[in-house]
Amino acid sequence: MDPLDSSESRLVESANAAENAESSLPWARFSSWLECVCVVTFDLELGQAIEVFHMTCEMCFPGCLGDTQFSFRLRQSVGRRGSWFGEEDAYSRDAPVTLQLAHFYGYVYFRQVKDASVKRGYFQKSLVLVSRLPYVHLFQSLLQIIAPEYFEKLEPCLEAVCNEIDQWQSPVPGLTLNLPVMGVVMQVRIPSKNDKPGGSPEKQAQKEVGNLLPAPMMLPTIHELDLFKCFQSFLIHLQMLWELMLLGEPVVVMAPSPTVSSETVLALVSSIAPLRYCCDYRPYFTIHDTEFKEYTTRTQAPPNVILGVTNPFFIKTFQSWPHIIRLGELKMSGDLPKQVKVKKLAKLKTLDTKPGIYTAHKMFLQKDKSLIKRLLKGIQRKRPSEVQSAILRRHLLELTQSFIIPLERYLASLMPLQRSVTPWKTPPQIRPFSQEEFMGTLEHAGPQLTSVLKGDWVGLYRKFFRSPNFDGWYRLRHREMTQKLECLHLEVVCDADLLGWTKDKSEVEIVDLVLKLREKLMKAGKQQLPVKEGVLEKLEGYLQTVISSLPEDLQTVLHRY
């Protein structure tokens, strides 16, 4: 028996394919991790100056004293392929839906310190890593290693780092990798869509670490943030914010720093995982952003987007938005973080607006008071932040799953029965999604089966159906179901007696069958359909046998096709 099961075999195949593709191309491995590394300097005459990637300049100078880390997100040109030399499709096939390659991410380490030798009196410089991978924890950890050293030694240090990254193995989902840089080895596991939701990355890594040597710096996650730290000033309102994220509502986060702004936005987006947040979001948004006019126009309703900002100017700009989270510096009330209050939007008028959640949103579900008590008790008992975050993440995961499971169950009922898939007919169609039919299933198979929360679940579903998140979820699931039907049909055809079927058929019918099967095989290969092992090869062999039974002139035409 093969010691590797099919999923592990495909993992090894992906890793080998990536390595082969990289071996003959310059900077191929570097490009699978980063698009570029930028250094932004404040020039007294020019302002923010950069030579490589000018669109990021204004986002890289927040003006905070000391060292500051944050991130931003940019659109990718329509139809643009990255510089990952053909490995993107394999990554997208195996990565979780929440970690797909769709935008550029900028990870910034900004330093501003007094320096008498500089004309302005301050040393101001940003080191920026630009990537299409949404691995915020990995790249911020990487910056903590290389940025302080770079600010001391400058270009030679950066060139050495780039050469080291060019030796890293590509990020294949499911693999555990050792990534050496500047004398430190980071051990990371690349998340896979096959991972159990809420599972421990460390446990997954232990299973797959194989012959990797022990690493002195093991990152428990490459993309998750400290949720408790991000949410601690509005823990009692977390469920309301979860509803806003689920429904794709327009939200502005006004924060005291780019760090708080970007981390809060990313944490909010992750709160509905494993459901993908399908709207746009900008962890750090400035008036220099290319979408500034598009997102701040008052001639139409606010777009479905989350914006993280720090400029007080935005309070006036976003007065017409339905949901604004105004954060200040964290304050304590005894041992507990002071919680912001929900306030009416009408009170959001002046530049000195107090912290609070300004919204008219009425919650569909009742608050889970037991969660709040558990977290507050954890603060009093000095429970570690990572433990508090794990409790939060588990709660949000279970809440999202309770909402999604009834939808998944109903969607599965729309799939044609396997016995209705026959070799000589086009696969049957998936039944259309009916909102009312789904609503009829909730009484006996609704969220109450897995959640103790009471409330207007039906109203929440109705509003969810009008959101971009439902549209994105349904499109993805429908595509996956269509591919599954295609796979089932290919497997049924493979098990059928093709040669027997051709005995009493005309040449026209046989040629038509050959062309249709060829088209299906090409489509299956192009889309990398998860067909059972050996099916495609077996069908190709059958086709060659059928073609060889035809007259020579037809064989020539078919072989050309």
Side-chain angles (χ1 to χ4, degrees):
M1 179 179 173
D2 191 340
L4 296 175
D5 64 20
S6 58
S7 60
E8 289 175 320
S9 298
R10 196 166 75 176
L11 188 63
V12 173
E13 270 178 37
S14 298
N16 290 340
E19 205 160 337
N20 292 336
E22 294 160 355
S23 58
S24 59
L25 295 166
W27 295 105
R29 292 189 174 190
F30 177 91
S31 298
S32 68
W33 290 95
L34 295 170
E35 290 290 317
C36 60
V37 177
C38 309
V39 178
V40 189
T41 305
F42 191 90
D43 185 282
L44 200 57
E45 279 90 33
L46 299 176
Q48 289 89 336
I50 192 172
E51 296 178 355
V52 184
F53 206 61
H54 69 277
M55 75 178 78
T56 66
C57 293
E58 302 292 349
M59 296 182 184
C60 301
F61 274 78
C64 310
L65 199 60
D67 287 4
T68 304
Q69 282 190 263
F70 60 97
S71 58
F72 58 86
R73 186 173 185 256
L74 298 170
R75 278 181 184 166
Q76 185 176 298
S77 301
V78 177
R80 182 191 182 280
R81 297 287 288 181
S83 51
W84 198 345
F85 303 104
E87 296 307 313
E88 294 173 34
D89 292 338
Y91 174 87
S92 298
R93 180 192 67 208
D94 296 327
V97 293
T98 53
L99 297 177
Q100 293 294 315
L101 308 173
H103 287 74
F104 288 118
Y105 297 85
Y107 304 99
V108 184
Y109 193 111
F110 170 67
R111 174 170 289 183
Q112 177 173 283
V113 292
K114 287 184 178 181
D115 188 343
S117 66
V118 180
K119 191 174 181 181
R120 197 180 180 93
Y122 284 92
F123 171 92
Q124 293 176 298
K125 197 183 285 284
S126 284
L127 182 61
V128 188
L129 306 180
V130 180
S131 176
R132 294 168 68 216
L133 297 167
Y135 297 166
V136 59
H137 187 64
L138 169 63
F139 289 117
Q140 294 293 17
S141 299
L142 178 60
L143 278 169
Q144 287 168 13
I145 296 170
I146 65 176
E149 190 81 6
Y150 166 73
F151 291 139
E152 296 295 328
K153 299 179 180 177
L154 301 180
E155 276 72 16
C157 162
L158 205 54
E159 186 178 348
V161 167
C162 290
N163 280 308
E164 283 189 288
I165 294 174
D166 193 41
Q167 301 303 311
W168 292 1
Q169 188 175 334
S170 285
V172 176
L175 281 188
T176 298
L177 306 175
N178 274 357
L179 309 176
V181 61
M182 295 185 69
V184 177
V185 180
M186 296 186 295
Q187 189 174 103
V188 302
R189 183 181 182 278
I190 310 302
S192 164
K193 70 177 183 181
N194 298 319
D195 295 344
K196 182 182 177 183
S200 167
E202 293 101 319
K203 289 181 181 177
Q204 292 283 353
Q206 287 167 11
K207 290 180 185 177
E208 292 142 5
V209 70
N211 60 357
L212 290 179
L213 296 173
M217 181 179 173
M218 181 173 178
L219 298 186
T221 175
I222 60 173
H223 66 286
E224 293 174 340
L225 293 165
D226 185 338
L227 285 189
F228 179 71
K229 177 187 168 189
C230 296
F231 293 153
Q232 59 184 325
S233 62
F234 47 84
L235 288 171
I236 61 175
H237 307 301
L238 187 58
Q239 204 160 300
M240 179 178 70
L241 297 176
W242 173 84
E243 288 186 9
L244 295 180
M245 296 301 105
L246 183 73
L247 301 174
E249 288 285 305
V251 176
V252 175
V253 176
M254 294 183 175
S257 71
T259 304
V260 175
S261 163
S262 58
E263 288 185 351
T264 303
V265 169
L266 292 173
L268 286 171
V269 167
S270 73
S271 69
I272 61 170
L275 184 67
R276 182 184 181 187
Y277 182 80
C278 296
C279 310
D280 196 4
Y281 60 93
R282 302 303 171 92
Y284 181 52
F285 187 77
T286 75
I287 58 174
H288 304 285
D289 196 288
T290 51
E291 281 79 44
F292 176 75
K293 287 185 179 179
E294 175 188 341
Y295 286 161
T296 57
T297 179
R298 298 191 181 188
T299 59
Q300 58 190 35
N304 300 96
V305 60
I306 310 176
L307 301 178
V309 302
T310 58
N311 193 332
F313 161 79
F314 281 115
I315 290 182
K316 188 175 181 180
T317 307
F318 292 122
Q319 272 187 337
S320 61
W321 280 51
H323 317 288
I324 296 175
I325 304 170
R326 179 79 162 101
L327 300 174
E329 297 295 341
L330 182 66
K331 294 181 179 179
M332 301 300 289
S333 177
D335 292 333
L336 305 177
K338 194 171 182 180
Q339 300 292 289
V340 300
K341 297 178 180 179
V342 174
K343 302 183 179 184
K344 293 180 180 178
L345 282 162
K347 293 186 177 181
L348 189 78
K349 289 182 179 178
T350 59
L351 289 178
D352 60 348
T353 299
K354 292 181 180 179
I357 300 174
Y358 295 80
T359 179
H361 177 74
K362 292 183 179 179
M363 289 177 60
F364 289 91
L365 306 179
Q366 296 174 4
K367 285 184 180 178
D368 188 341
K369 293 180 181 178
S370 62
L371 170 74
I372 297 166
K373 287 179 182 177
R374 189 179 177 192
L375 291 171
L376 294 179
K377 189 176 287 186
I379 297 172
Q380 292 172 325
R381 293 179 175 178
K382 311 293 184 188
R383 187 185 290 149
S385 183
E386 57 268 24
V387 179
Q388 295 278 75
S389 287
I391 293 170
L392 261 178
R393 187 168 282 110
R394 168 59 63 180
H395 169 78
L396 291 168
L397 172 66
E398 290 175 353
L399 186 57
T400 303
Q401 286 181 324
S402 291
F403 183 83
I404 290 296
I405 286 171
L407 285 164
E408 293 282 1
R409 189 183 291 120
Y410 171 70
L411 203 63
S413 73
L414 304 180
M415 189 80 165
L417 295 174
Q418 190 165 342
R419 65 171 178 267
S420 66
V421 181
T422 60
W424 318 121
K425 291 182 180 179
T426 303
Q429 295 291 305
I430 299 166
R431 286 199 301 120
F433 190 105
S434 166
Q435 293 183 20
E436 293 308 315
E437 187 180 38
F438 166 73
M439 293 298 185
T441 68
L442 293 179
E443 185 178 352
H444 301 292
Q448 72 276 7
L449 297 181
T450 52
S451 176
V452 297
L453 293 183
K454 306 293 183 183
D456 185 10
W457 286 97
V458 171
L460 187 60
Y461 280 115
R462 288 198 187 281
K463 195 160 186 182
F464 177 69
F465 289 145
R466 300 195 296 270
S467 76
N469 287 334
F470 169 72
D471 184 64
W473 170 82
Y474 179 69
R475 285 174 184 271
L476 175 65
R477 296 294 289 115
H478 192 273
R479 183 167 70 245
E480 290 173 347
M481 290 167 69
T482 302
Q483 290 181 345
K484 186 175 181 180
L485 268 179
E486 287 290 334
C487 292
L488 282 173
H489 190 237
L490 283 169
E491 289 161 16
V492 168
V493 172
C494 185
D495 292 336
D497 183 7
L498 281 180
L499 291 176
W501 181 85
T502 60
K503 285 180 181 177
D504 59 346
K505 298 296 184 292
S506 66
E507 288 180 357
V508 173
E509 290 175 300
I510 296 172
V511 169
D512 183 57
L513 173 71
V514 169
L515 292 176
K516 284 180 178 177
L517 284 179
R518 266 282 164 79
E519 188 177 350
K520 288 180 78 71
L521 286 171
M522 289 173 67
K523 185 179 177 182
K526 189 175 181 181
Q527 295 183 351
Q528 296 184 318
L529 296 182
V531 187
K532 284 182 182 177
E533 194 174 344
V535 167
L536 298 183
E537 293 80 4
K538 191 175 178 182
L539 276 176
E540 187 61 50
Y542 280 158
L543 279 179
Q544 296 303 326
T545 305
V546 171
I547 291 171
S548 64
S549 67
L550 295 169
E552 285 188 14
D553 55 339
L554 280 178
Q555 288 186 39
T556 305
V557 172
L558 289 173
H559 280 306
R560 281 179 187 168
Y561 177 81

